[in-house]
């Protein structure tokens, strides 16, 4: 299966992409992960990308498209793939078609903005070993201290409420129109994000017919 997953930041796209990847044995390709690796390496492109991320804005299309094109050329994508975070704009979707990226289905994850703000603003990460936590759903034994290495837990800049709201506004303005774009092509299916991950996965597998 060649699949695109759409959804606002914090809608559970990455989690469900991994569940589908395990079920079908195809790679889940996260644009966010590719970008974070570039940022972590501290390359000029990574430093430029970091400025966009911290301000809650999207990276320019040409940068994203080049990254995706390179990734899809790798051998593990020959039997299918899951694109998480691409395309994010209509120009990216049109460019994807011109690149010859074939898609069997487009899954849209539907979650209320209020639930997303609660999810993302509660996320914490260890400054030292980058282990993820959540103040409500996956709290450390000691507040703001990593269970693994006793490092300090921090809230990432892009998980601060003000930045989250900006990211949601960007999503609604620039990405949501893709739902209509793919619906007209008969490719769109939707699934709701439930409180329990297993319930979300069950619905996702159902709408995808897997």
């Amino acid at each position: 299966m060649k699949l695109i997953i759409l959804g606002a930041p914090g809608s559970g796209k990455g989690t469900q992409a991994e569940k589908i990847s395990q079920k079908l044995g195809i790679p889940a390709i996260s644009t966010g992960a590719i970008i974070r690796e570039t940022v972590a390496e501290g390359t000029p492109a990574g430093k430029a990308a970091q400025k966009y991320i911290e301000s809650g804005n999207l990276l320019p299309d040409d940068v994203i498209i080049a990254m995706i094109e390179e990734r899809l050329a790798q051998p593990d994508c020959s039997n299918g793939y899951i694109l998480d975070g691409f395309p994010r704009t209509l120009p990216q979707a049109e460019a994807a078609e011109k690149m010859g990226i074939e898609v069997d289905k487009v899954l849209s994850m539907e979650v209320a903005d209020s639930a997303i703000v609660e999810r993302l603003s509660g996320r914490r990460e260890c400054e030292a070993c980058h282990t993820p936590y959540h103040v409500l759903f996956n709290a450390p034994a000691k507040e703001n201290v990593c269970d693994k290495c006793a490092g300090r837990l921090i809230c990432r800049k892009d998980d601060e409420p003000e930045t989250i709201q900006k990211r949601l506004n960007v999503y609604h303005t620039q990405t949501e129109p893709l739902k209509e774009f793919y619906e007209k092509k008969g490719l769109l299916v939707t699934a709701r994000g439930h409180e329990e991950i297993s319930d979300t996965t069950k619905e996702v597998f159902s709408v995808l017919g897997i």
Side-chain angles (χ1 to χ4, degrees):
M1 178 180 284
K2 295 175 180 177
L3 176 71
I4 288 170
I5 301 185
L6 301 177
S11 62
K13 297 191 307 296
T15 300
Q16 294 308 316
E18 285 303 322
K19 299 287 185 186
I20 299 164
S21 172
Q22 291 165 12
K23 174 89 170 175
L24 299 180
I26 56 176
I29 299 167
S30 163
T31 310
I34 293 171
I35 293 167
R36 282 192 291 276
E37 285 167 15
T38 308
V39 169
E41 287 166 5
T43 63
K47 289 174 182 175
Q50 189 166 21
K51 291 179 182 177
Y52 286 96
I53 294 164
E54 289 183 349
S55 64
N57 290 318
L58 298 177
L59 286 158
D61 287 351
D62 57 339
V63 174
I64 296 293
I65 290 165
M67 288 178 177
I68 295 296
E69 194 168 20
E70 187 177 271
R71 179 66 185 86
L72 293 183
Q74 295 181 20
D76 63 337
C77 294
S78 60
N79 294 321
Y81 44 77
I82 304 156
L83 289 172
D84 165 17
F86 176 87
R88 280 187 173 171
T89 63
L90 283 172
Q92 283 184 4
E94 289 160 357
E97 286 193 335
K98 288 177 184 174
M99 284 162 58
I101 294 178
E102 297 176 359
V103 179
D104 297 313
K105 287 183 181 176
V106 177
L107 171 66
S108 177
M109 300 294 302
E110 304 292 333
V111 181
D113 282 8
S114 57
I116 285 172
V117 172
E118 181 181 58
R119 282 184 190 181
L120 294 188
S121 61
R123 293 201 300 197
R124 298 292 183 270
E125 182 178 86
C126 176
E127 200 171 32
C129 71
H130 306 293
T131 299
Y133 294 89
H134 194 284
V135 296
L136 295 177
F137 310 123
N138 182 31
K142 186 177 179 182
E143 188 176 358
N144 292 326
V145 177
C146 178
D147 293 342
K148 289 187 177 179
C149 74
R152 185 169 68 104
L153 302 189
I154 59 170
C155 178
R156 290 188 343 193
K157 176 85 175 171
D158 52 335
D159 285 337
E160 292 175 0
E162 187 179 330
T163 308
I164 293 167
Q165 194 54 59
K166 186 169 184 181
R167 291 167 70 197
L168 287 170
N169 293 342
V170 169
Y171 171 77
H172 292 311
T173 303
Q174 297 191 26
T175 306
E176 230 166 15
L178 288 174
K179 291 198 285 187
E180 185 180 355
F181 176 80
Y182 287 116
E183 190 169 29
K184 286 179 178 175
K185 296 177 180 293
L187 298 173
L188 188 73
V189 294
T190 62
R192 290 170 300 140
H194 300 268
E195 285 214 7
E196 294 293 330
I197 291 173
S198 59
D199 292 336
T200 305
T201 303
K202 187 177 179 181
E203 184 168 335
V204 165
F205 283 6
S206 176
V207 300
L208 291 176
I210 60 176

